[in-house]
Amino acid sequence: MNERHISKRVILAGGGHAHLAVLHRWAREPARGEDRLLITPQAHALYSGMVPGWMAGIYPAEALRIDLAELAARAGAKLVPAEVTGLDAARQCLTLSTGELLDFDLLSLATGGGIDLAPFAGSTATILPVRPVEGLISGWEAFLAAAPRQPAIPVIGGGAAGVELALAAQARLAGAATVTLVCPRGDFLSGHHLRVRRLARAALNRRGIALLHGLAAGAPGGLVLDDGELLPADLVLLATGSRPPGWLAASGLACSAQGFALVGADLRSVSHPAVFAAGDIVERTDRPLPRSGVHAVKAGPVLAANLAAALHGGTMQSYQPGLRTLYLMSTADRRAIASWGGFALAGRAVWWLKDRIDRGFVRRQGRLG
Ligand SMILES: Cc1cc2nc3c(=O)[nH]c(=O)nc-3n(C[C@H](O)[C@H](O)[C@H](O)COP(=O)(O)OP(=O)(O)OC[C@H]3O[C@@H](n4cnc5c(N)ncnc54)[C@H](O)[C@@H]3O)c2cc1C
């Protein structure tokens, strides 16, 4: 596959949220001589915004699926069913899980982030990271099929995903579980206004979910917190935030101290003009931006435009969202919490809006089945 090619080869690595807009643009604009490739281990992507609704039993798993194979076909892109396992930025070459080497003229990375499992290695409980979402879905279904009576389920991570999944797990098990939410003090919805945190605390209280402060690690029987408290667990849900893939560190691309790809507002690597990246895998050099699906999705059209400009000439655009971003968090009871700067609102109308936005988004991508 690595024979010399004459036309330019453009590779999208990963079917992340940020690449959906690129595939849509490609579908509208046929290739002008370039070869288009999408490397993805799965023929579908899963829309993360609907994962808590799925876990709560509100949506079937199919409702979250975005058919990447169909999108790629419409975009005139060859789908390569593999994972990226290595990148040599200087040689402009990718290594795939199949052992193939693939060189590129232009590369865009949207492979998302992973979860650090190392602190939980000593636990005898089932450890279920929320990423990759495919693993969360199969792992949760397997747990439900053989769940003990009244299982203990600590959810680690006080971000929106941790809060939503704790509520969803409790709702799905209809109270027949002891769900706790664990995060270091000060980390509970730390990017959100106090009003949002109060609404989320009230939702947790209504479901009988205790919020524990501490740094959790794996231990026989479950978990141990940094103050020595033991937390029994059957299943531990890890929503501890994205960490970059290991292969990025060895790629030669400029990375942050944590190993995220450093990009400017144009989503281009600060160290390599032929590499772009968006979504959870990046860190911006011009301003901090939280890693969220909202930003991954909204960066997509800018990424698409800049890939076109890098290939055919044109002006680079900047992804510069406003200071406030609307987040809608499901409380697993067909209600949701809206968070927009200092504005906070909870209730059925917010769920109605979230459900409409999320299902509309997936439908627009072209759903499977
Ligand atoms: C449970 C949950 C709920 C969330 N809810 C929200 C929400 O309501 N709102 C919000 O803004 N954000 C939410 N997020 C965060 C959001 O999911 C991420 O910020 C967003 O998905 C990041 O998009 P991305 O493009 O970086 O990659 P992703 O959407 O994570 O996709 C990465 C893709 O790349 C593939 N991939 C991974 N590794 C490789 C590889 N080596 N080679 C090739 N392909 C690879 C994966 O299979 C996946 O398809 C949630 C996250 C979780 C876990």
Side-chain angles (χ1 to χ4, degrees):
M1 199 149 188
N2 212 26
E3 70 274 9
R4 290 214 162 274
H5 54 276
I6 291 150
S7 58
K8 287 193 171 174
R9 182 182 280 162
V10 189
I11 297 182
L12 303 184
H17 292 21
H19 277 164
L20 299 174
V22 179
L23 292 168
H24 277 279
R25 181 167 175 146
W26 284 1
R28 291 194 306 273
E29 295 176 1
R32 286 189 263 159
E34 74 273 16
D35 286 336
R36 298 168 167 177
L37 276 72
L38 168 66
I39 301 172
T40 171
Q42 290 93 25
H44 61 260
L46 293 166
Y47 180 54
S48 58
M50 290 169 75
V51 168
W54 156 80
M55 186 178 258
I58 296 171
Y59 301 121
E62 297 74 50
L64 286 56
R65 287 201 184 135
I66 295 167
D67 189 340
L68 288 176
E70 189 193 313
L71 273 180
R74 278 197 255 140
K78 179 180 175 189
L79 189 141
V80 181
E83 259 181 61
V84 170
T85 54
L87 163 62
D88 183 336
R91 289 188 49 231
Q92 299 196 189
C93 183
L94 288 172
T95 308
L96 306 189
S97 49
T98 52
E100 281 169 310
L101 298 175
L102 258 187
D103 56 11
F104 60 84
D105 297 288
L106 193 59
L107 172 69
S108 178
L109 301 170
T111 54
I115 298 256
D116 187 5
L117 302 178
F120 304 92
S123 179
T124 45
T126 302
I127 304 293
L128 188 51
V130 301
R131 316 192 141 280
V133 174
E134 295 80 13
L136 172 65
I137 291 193
S138 55
W140 177 248
E141 282 169 353
F143 178 76
L144 284 185
R149 280 199 317 168
Q150 200 69 34
I153 308 180
V155 180
I156 317 297
V163 172
E164 287 186 277
L165 293 182
L167 289 162
Q170 185 69 296
R172 182 70 180 79
L173 290 161
T178 307
V179 178
T180 44
L181 184 64
V182 185
C183 65
R185 193 167 290 283
D187 260 23
F188 178 67
L189 294 179
S190 58
H192 297 267
H193 195 273
L194 179 64
R195 291 190 197 103
V196 176
R197 296 205 290 275
R198 283 199 184 124
L199 289 172
R201 278 300 289 263
L204 293 171
N205 288 342
R206 274 198 302 277
R207 289 242 178 236
I209 299 172
L211 175 61
L212 303 180
H213 291 299
L215 204 56
L223 298 172
V224 61
L225 301 189
D226 50 353
D227 63 0
E229 183 183 347
L230 287 171
L231 211 57
D234 296 291
L235 176 79
V236 180
L237 278 170
L238 291 186
T240 45
S242 272
R243 71 160 195 179
W247 49 261
L248 203 49
S251 67
L253 281 186
C255 290
S256 67
Q258 291 79 28
F260 293 100
L262 288 172
V263 297
D266 57 2
L267 308 171
R268 191 176 226 168
S269 160
V270 296
S271 66
H272 204 300
V275 180
F276 288 74
D280 282 11
I281 199 173
V282 304
E283 187 156 319
R284 290 274 292 260
T285 51
D286 58 325
R287 61 183 278 198
L289 266 190
R291 287 186 184 85
S292 76
V294 173
H295 288 308
V297 168
K298 286 187 170 178
V302 173
L303 180 64
N306 290 352
L307 289 173
L311 261 183
H312 306 297
T315 315
M316 289 283 154
Q317 295 183 13
S318 293
Y319 174 57
Q320 289 295 13
L323 289 177
R324 287 184 286 193
T325 303
L326 177 65
Y327 291 102
L328 302 170
M329 285 171 248
S330 157
T331 47
D333 50 359
R334 295 184 189 271
R335 293 165 201 261
I337 299 170
S339 166
W340 191 66
F343 173 82
L345 184 70
R348 287 186 194 282
V350 183
W351 167 260
W352 178 85
L353 181 67
K354 176 173 171 53
D355 176 59
R356 206 180 148 85
I357 292 174
D358 287 349
R359 283 193 298 123
F361 179 80
V362 173
R363 196 170 43 243
R364 280 196 302 282
Q365 308 308 315
R367 205 168 83 184
L368 278 180

